[in-house]
Amino acid sequence: MKQINQQIGHKIKAKRKKLGITQADLSKKLFISPTYLNLMESGKRKINVDLLLKIADELNVNTVS
């Protein structure tokens, strides 16, 4: 499970950086702390489905195949 968290976190970080969004800006939009976002991006915290969907929406990632 830890490996999945790391993969998801890496993808979030890569997409965020590609869009030029800072951790502080994204965390404000998600109503979470920048520290918590950092922990998710580094794979040290699990991401619940609701938050993952919010992140996908903010980063313009399609969640439907």
Side-chain angles (χ1 to χ4, degrees):
M1 192 65 133
K2 185 176 181 181
Q3 185 178 9
I4 292 171
N5 293 331
Q6 288 176 334
Q7 290 173 347
I8 292 171
H10 176 74
K11 289 182 181 200
I12 291 169
K13 183 176 183 177
K15 181 67 173 181
R16 177 182 59 74
K17 285 188 167 193
K18 183 177 180 181
L19 294 173
I21 302 170
T22 66
Q23 280 186 337
D25 290 339
L26 183 57
S27 64
K28 281 181 188 177
K29 291 179 181 181
L30 299 171
F31 301 101
I32 62 173
S33 72
T35 302
Y36 186 61
L37 179 58
N38 181 279
L39 291 171
M40 287 188 297
E41 286 184 349
S42 64
K44 295 177 183 173
R45 288 287 186 263
K46 293 182 183 179
I47 306 169
N48 67 44
V49 175
D50 291 334
L51 184 54
L52 186 57
L53 291 173
K54 287 179 186 178
I55 292 168
D57 186 51
E58 289 295 331
L59 298 178
N60 298 315
V61 174
N62 186 359
T63 57
V64 180
S65 298

